[in-house]
Amino acid sequence: MISFENVNKYYGDFHVLKDINLSIKEGEVVVIIGPSGSGKSTLLRCINRLETITDGNFTVNNISVNDKKTDINKLRRNIGMVFQHFNLYPHKTVLENITLAPINVLKQSAEEAKKTAMYYLEKVGIPDKASSYPSQLSGGQQQRVAIARGLAMQPKIMLFDEPTSALDPEMVGEVLDVMKALAKEGMTMAVVTHEMGFAKEVGDRIVFMDQGKILEEAKPAEFFANPREERARLFLSRVL
Ligand code: ADP
Ligand code: MG
């Protein structure tokens, strides 16, 4: 579904992604871990073209993303993204936050969009918050709204960039549970996280990044029991 071939990216002179080769199959959950500054967010942001790559080939469903002819809006519609900071509109209700893009981008009727929004709010466990404003919700609830908002666009791929890093510890579990359920249903997911329990349990594959490179790629059981790279070992000794 997603394929990076020898992808490089520079920010000015700074070589942020170095020879990235990575593919993600339909229904797969790939967990990207690594130290701060290693390029994890940049890699995710390249997937939905929030960032452009400098060279190499990057395809989504065999469509070359760096081709000028590619309709980026169409591509983005298939890719949902959830950020560390939920990025909800503070002056819109939960329901309005979720229905905005389906109405404006997918041209759904207000009624249809509301029905879809309520379906996903049920799914993330907070249908009773539809009329609330983001500030009236806990961090965990806001993040679940952000996930419902992503899902309401009916994407084929969901990207998560440290979705629980800004949450109080007692709210981490409720968000991870929603992500776990989504993975079980077969959603294709790329997840950047420091939650090693989640990575072990839900990940089909672990990708370990350091200094802009993918240093190691392995099944979770293999990676956590016996990381091949010294750098990965050091990282694990610090986070586990
Ligand atoms: P991670 O998510 O693994 O912490 P990032 O992808 O955010 O890493 O950043 C990788 C490196 O690129 C960092 O050194 C960061 O400072 C740098 N960087 C990120 N965004 C930009 C930008 N827009 N311009 C210049 N440098 C950036
Ligand atoms: Mg990051």
Side-chain angles (χ1 to χ4, degrees):
M1 211 164 193
I2 296 174
S3 164
F4 287 89
E5 282 169 60
N6 301 108
V7 166
N8 286 279
K9 176 176 176 60
Y10 289 82
Y11 287 123
D13 289 338
F14 181 63
H15 198 175
V16 60
L17 295 178
K18 299 171 185 162
D19 271 321
I20 298 291
N21 286 287
L22 175 70
S23 58
I24 303 177
K25 293 201 246 338
E26 191 168 355
E28 207 179 12
V29 178
V30 171
V31 178
I32 303 162
I33 64 176
S36 179
S38 55
K40 307 180 298 296
S41 295
T42 303
L43 184 68
L44 274 198
R45 292 165 64 85
C46 284
I47 295 178
N48 65 355
R49 269 292 293 265
L50 286 173
E51 301 284 355
T52 53
I53 64 175
T54 311
D55 65 61
N57 193 24
F58 166 52
T59 59
V60 175
N61 285 330
N62 296 318
I63 296 165
S64 183
V65 178
N66 33 329
D67 191 330
K68 288 203 168 55
K69 283 177 285 200
T70 301
D71 181 347
I72 294 306
N73 290 322
K74 202 168 149 196
L75 174 97
R76 278 205 188 121
R77 242 171 270 165
N78 288 321
I79 303 174
M81 184 149 181
V82 173
F83 302 90
Q84 181 174 354
H85 301 285
F86 333 117
N87 300 0
L88 298 174
Y89 295 105
H91 302 299
K92 292 189 187 294
T93 64
V94 163
L95 192 67
E96 288 164 349
N97 264 282
I98 301 174
T99 56
L100 191 70
I103 291 171
N104 290 339
V105 181
L106 301 183
K107 308 295 177 202
Q108 287 181 4
S109 68
E111 201 182 341
E112 190 187 357
K114 184 179 171 188
K115 218 173 120 197
T116 312
M118 289 311 300
Y119 172 81
Y120 287 109
L121 275 178
E122 292 272 356
K123 229 181 168 112
V124 301
I126 41 172
D128 52 317
K129 300 295 182 193
S131 315
S132 302
Y133 286 88
S135 61
Q136 297 170 316
L137 306 184
S138 72
Q141 290 170 335
Q142 289 185 57
Q143 192 58 301
R144 285 188 279 158
V145 172
I147 295 172
R149 179 178 60 179
L151 293 175
M153 291 295 282
Q154 279 147 347
K156 297 199 170 66
I157 304 161
M158 283 289 283
L159 310 176
F160 293 87
D161 194 357
E162 299 198 32
T164 61
S165 294
L167 299 177
D168 289 335
E170 73 266 30
M171 289 166 192
V172 168
E174 65 193 52
V175 171
L176 293 180
D177 284 346
V178 167
M179 293 167 61
K180 226 178 274 179
L182 201 55
K184 265 209 185 114
E185 286 172 16
M187 177 64 82
T188 308
M189 293 163 58
V191 183
V192 174
T193 185
H194 295 297
E195 294 293 330
M196 296 301 134
F198 176 88
K200 238 185 245 182
E201 190 188 334
V202 184
D204 292 308
R205 199 145 39 98
I206 306 291
V207 168
F208 177 75
M209 289 186 72
D210 187 37
Q211 296 185 1
K213 281 191 195 136
I214 293 179
L215 279 196
E216 185 162 348
E217 231 188 297
K219 295 235 176 266
E222 205 178 303
F223 179 80
F224 287 104
N226 192 17
R228 288 190 303 273
E229 294 290 329
E230 186 51 42
R231 189 68 191 83
R233 243 172 251 166
L234 186 67
F235 177 78
L236 286 181
S237 73
R238 286 182 184 150
V239 296
L240 285 178

